[in-house]
Amino acid sequence: MGETSLRMLKKVRMVTERIGHDILWVRRTESTNDLAWREADRGCADGTIVLAEEQTAGRGRLGRPWFCPPEKGILASVVLRPGLPADRAPLVTVCGALAVRDVATALTAVPAGIRWPNDVLLGGRKVAGVLVESRPQAGEAGPVFVLGIGLNVNVKESEFPEAIREEATSLDLAARRRVDRLEAARALVEALDGWYLRLRGGRTEELASAWREASAILRKRVEVTVGGETHRGTVEDLDPCEGVFLRLDRGQILRLRGEHVERLRLVDA
Ligand code: BT5
C-alpha cells in the first residue's frame, strides 16, 4: 500500500473541540512555524493547524535544525490563542509534549517519557521535539502561540544524519511495525485537543502533575548544560513554569529554567 499523504487529514473525521477545524497542508515549506505565523497574522482561528510533508529549514530551539526526510514524519504547527499570560508559556509546551507522549505510547506500546524541556523519548531516544514561539497580540489577554511539533514516524535508522543516529528513533523503529502517519496525525490532534481544553479551562495543576508523571528525568541523574556550563546532579523536582530543581553532587540545589537549557543528558547512576 502506498503512503497516505497527510493532506487527507482534512477529510478525516476528528472529534475535537478547538484543534484542527482549519487545516493548511503544503507539500514543502521552509518551516511550518513560519507558515503558521503567517496564518496567525491573518487572524486565523484558535487551533488552526499547518502541516508539511517536507521542511527545507525546519528549526529547533536555540537556532538548531530539525531534520526529517520528506513524508517520513509529522511536521505540524498549531496556532493557539489560550488567553494565557506570557510567563505561563511553558504550559503550551507541556500540552504538546503530553499529546506526543500519548500518541507515541499508544501506537508503539512502549512507554514514552518527556525529557524536559521539550523532547519526547522512546526507549531513551528522541522521537519528537516541541518548539513553542509566542508574540504579543494587540488588545488581547495574552500572546498568540505557535506550537511546533516534529514527530518521527517512518524514519529508518540509516536515514537519520550520522550525528543523531544514536540518539534518535521513530514510531516505526520502536513499534517494530509500520505505523500509519495519518493515524498518528489524527491521534495527535485529538490528544492535543484534550490537553489544550484543560489548559483553557485553567486546570493547570492537572497538566503539571500529568507532565511530572510522564517525566523521563524525575529522580534521575542527569548532566545539564546551561550557558556553556555543565552541571551534574539528581532531579529532585520539576514544574513547568518553575523549572527543574537539581540536587548537585556537591549537595546544593540548583534551579534551572527550561528556556536556557542547551542540553540534558541522562547519566548512569
Ligand atoms: C526541538 O528542538 O526538539 C524542537 C523541534 C521542533 C521541530 C518542529 S517540526 C514542525 C515545526 N516547524 C519547525 O520549523 N520546527 C517545528 P531542540 O531541542 O533544539 O532539538 C534540536 C536537536 O534535535 C538538533 O540539534 C538535533 O540534535 C536533534 N534532532 C534534529 N532532528 C531530529 C529528529 N528528527 N529526531 C531526533 N532528533 C533530532
Side-chain angles (χ1 to χ4, degrees):
M1 215 176 76
E3 180 55 63
T4 338
S5 164
L6 288 186
R7 180 179 222 159
M8 300 306 290
L9 193 64
K10 288 185 201 181
K11 301 251 167 28
V12 173
R13 226 179 82 80
M14 292 191 283
V15 190
T16 64
E17 209 163 291
R18 305 223 47 125
I19 308 290
H21 295 298
D22 293 316
I23 298 176
L24 173 69
W25 174 93
V26 295
R27 191 171 300 284
R28 178 202 258 217
T29 189
E30 286 187 3
S31 155
T32 55
N33 268 35
D34 292 340
L35 260 190
W37 280 119
R38 193 191 73 186
E39 294 303 301
D41 291 343
R42 290 178 176 170
C44 72
D46 185 30
T48 297
I49 301 178
V50 174
L51 285 169
E53 303 293 353
E54 182 183 359
Q55 291 183 133
T56 53
R59 61 175 178 267
R61 299 180 311 122
L62 311 166
R64 294 187 291 222
W66 184 257
F67 162 85
C68 188
E71 301 183 357
K72 293 293 174 88
I74 294 173
L75 304 167
S77 297
V78 189
V79 177
L80 298 173
R81 305 179 192 276
L84 198 69
D87 64 341
R88 313 294 284 166
L91 291 168
V92 179
T93 304
V94 165
C95 287
L98 281 170
V100 175
R101 185 281 313 256
D102 290 348
V103 172
T105 302
L107 293 182
T108 65
V110 176
I114 298 173
R115 180 173 62 189
W116 176 83
N118 66 322
D119 298 337
V120 177
L121 306 183
L122 268 177
R125 292 174 174 223
K126 181 163 170 172
V127 73
V130 174
L131 174 70
V132 173
E133 297 169 336
S134 68
R135 290 182 191 167
Q137 342 177 59
E140 295 296 328
V144 58
F145 295 93
V146 166
L147 163 65
I149 295 174
L151 170 62
N152 305 324
V153 183
N154 308 133
V155 189
K156 296 195 192 91
E157 199 162 312
S158 60
E159 291 172 323
F160 285 113
E162 219 168 295
I164 60 168
R165 201 165 290 163
E166 307 269 287
E167 293 167 19
T169 191
S170 63
L171 295 182
D172 263 17
L173 287 169
R176 294 166 189 276
R177 70 171 176 92
R178 183 82 179 165
V179 174
D180 182 59
R181 281 191 316 139
L182 193 56
E183 185 191 344
R186 184 183 57 94
L188 183 63
V189 173
E190 291 185 346
L192 181 61
D193 190 66
W195 293 113
Y196 186 53
L197 290 181
R198 292 183 183 92
L199 178 66
R200 287 190 62 97
R203 289 151 65 186
T204 50
E205 252 323 300
E206 212 178 305
L207 282 173
S209 65
W211 181 75
R212 199 177 283 115
E213 271 167 39
S215 176
I217 66 164
L218 184 58
R219 290 182 288 277
K220 298 274 168 54
R221 276 183 59 72
V222 298
E223 205 175 75
V224 192
T225 307
V226 187
E229 223 185 308
T230 299
H231 309 276
R232 244 181 199 236
T234 304
V235 176
E236 288 233 324
D237 198 6
L238 76 175
D239 174 89
C241 298
E242 299 297 320
V244 151
F245 296 86
L246 188 67
R247 164 111 23 216
L248 298 175
D249 293 349
R250 283 166 281 143
Q252 317 91 303
I253 295 272
L254 180 69
R255 184 169 74 132
L256 299 167
R257 295 260 193 205
E259 61 268 34
H260 307 306
V261 169
E262 287 148 44
R263 183 177 158 83
L264 184 145
R265 207 168 63 81
L266 286 154
V267 291
D268 298 329

